[in-house]
Amino acid sequence: MRIKISFPLACLVGLMLSCQLLQAQYAHFVKQGVVAFEKRVNMYAKIKSRVGSNSFMEQAFEQYQRSNPQFKTFKYRLAFDGNRTRFWPLDDQATPSAGFFGNDPSVDLGNTIVADLFTGQRISQKSVYEQTYLITDSIRRIQWRITNETREIAGYQCRRANAVVLDSIYVVAFYTDQIPVSGGPESFAGLPGMILGVALPYENTTYFATSVEDRPVTAQELEVPKRGKAVNYGQLRAELEASLKNWGDYAQAILKAMLL
């Protein structure tokens, strides 16, 4: 049976197809700007995983719960312009918690990371206690597995990808191809678009974008850090392992945070 389409309906179908083609042709892709990130750490879960059967630690944990909120929040920015990105902490960070767990460097190191996505190189400024390091090395290559799951973050439609880094850290990331820059917060990169969300479930830590400014970035926002002891990641690991060798399991938490 032949189906006849009336002239008005045919025009409507043609108009809809034309609108879709025009929308695809003139879709706006953000190539430079600044992303605001919020890092959240579930302190109760993080501390509980270390307490074990140590009675002193249990008492310290109970005291911490009485005087501190469950989540600790840190604010970061990520500037991007073409193949260059810079991730850095804001100055108005939360006041460190008092008590035994107040200055745990594995919770947040206040890293500043500048990456050149074209050359595959990055410079990271990281501090642990009184020592600041300036680490020059290649951008970590992550074997991402892209899924069909999507969610909206900061007004952008994002797709989920999963990976494992440092042999044991499970990572869930959400990226958007509306920002065609293969960067992201901290050391996470390598997806076909900007990473706007990262969850580290077993580290009790998340990074999620709260806003994206579509604007030119300044030279200061892409400035390369210069202060710190110059090392690469191999030298950093060797130095940390030597200085923390008598710290037991706690040393592993610091080492993991520094290398992440």
Side-chain angles (χ1 to χ4, degrees):
M1 180 176 64
R2 183 176 297 176
I3 300 175
K4 294 183 179 181
I5 300 178
S6 65
F7 181 75
L9 180 57
C11 289
L12 179 60
V13 172
L15 182 60
M16 291 175 64
L17 290 174
S18 298
C19 288
Q20 290 176 354
L21 289 172
L22 285 171
Q23 185 177 8
Q25 183 178 356
Y26 295 104
H28 180 63
F29 293 96
V30 181
K31 296 183 179 179
Q32 57 180 335
V34 178
V35 185
F37 277 96
E38 183 178 85
K39 175 183 178 180
R40 282 167 57 87
V41 182
N42 186 336
M43 293 298 295
Y44 291 2
K46 198 171 188 70
I47 296 170
K48 188 175 181 180
S49 66
R50 298 183 191 170
V51 168
S53 58
N54 186 307
S55 59
F56 172 76
M57 292 283 282
E58 286 180 351
Q59 292 176 6
F61 179 36
E62 290 173 1
Q63 177 61 38
Y64 182 91
Q65 288 178 296
R66 285 193 290 269
S67 54
N68 293 277
Q70 180 174 357
F71 290 92
K72 201 168 185 178
T73 302
F74 305 88
K75 297 180 186 299
Y76 280 85
R77 293 291 183 269
L78 174 66
F80 61 95
D81 185 0
N83 291 314
R84 290 178 60 82
T85 66
R86 179 173 178 260
F87 181 75
W88 76 96
L90 295 190
D91 293 333
D92 57 340
Q93 297 297 306
T95 302
S97 304
F100 185 76
F101 303 104
N103 297 313
D104 186 344
S106 69
V107 173
D108 187 72
L109 293 167
N111 300 330
T112 295
I113 302 175
V114 175
D116 187 323
L117 304 174
F118 181 75
T119 64
Q121 296 295 307
R122 67 177 175 180
I123 297 176
S124 307
Q125 186 182 62
K126 302 187 176 190
S127 299
V128 56
Y129 296 119
E130 301 301 321
Q131 180 66 61
T132 298
Y133 296 91
L134 197 62
I135 309 134
T136 302
D137 219 319
S138 58
I139 295 173
R140 176 182 288 124
R141 292 187 177 182
I142 302 175
Q143 298 298 316
W144 294 106
R145 183 175 65 84
I146 298 174
T147 74
N148 292 323
E149 181 181 339
T150 61
R151 66 179 291 179
E152 185 177 304
I153 301 174
Y156 290 82
Q157 193 67 20
C158 298
R159 184 178 294 276
R160 174 175 172 169
N162 305 324
V164 175
V165 299
L166 297 179
D167 298 325
S168 62
I169 300 177
Y170 179 57
V171 183
V172 176
F174 292 90
Y175 73 95
T176 178
D177 57 11
Q178 291 177 265
I179 305 177
V181 178
S182 186
E186 294 287 0
S187 62
F188 302 106
L191 282 164
M194 179 64 72
I195 297 173
L196 295 182
V198 171
L200 308 174
Y202 300 109
E203 306 304 313
N204 307 295
T205 301
T206 61
Y207 300 81
F208 277 95
T210 57
S211 66
V212 178
E213 292 183 75
D214 179 3
R215 63 167 176 81
V217 298
T218 66
Q220 184 178 5
E221 288 172 324
L222 290 173
E223 186 178 12
V224 178
K226 298 179 176 62
R227 182 177 61 86
K229 181 178 180 180
V231 294
N232 60 33
Y233 269 90
Q235 294 168 330
L236 174 65
R237 182 171 197 137
E239 183 168 324
L240 289 175
E241 287 178 341
S243 61
L244 300 173
K245 63 182 179 180
N246 296 322
W247 289 40
D249 293 339
Y250 183 56
Q252 295 304 311
I254 298 176
L255 184 62
K256 185 188 295 184
M258 285 291 289
L259 298 177
L260 186 60

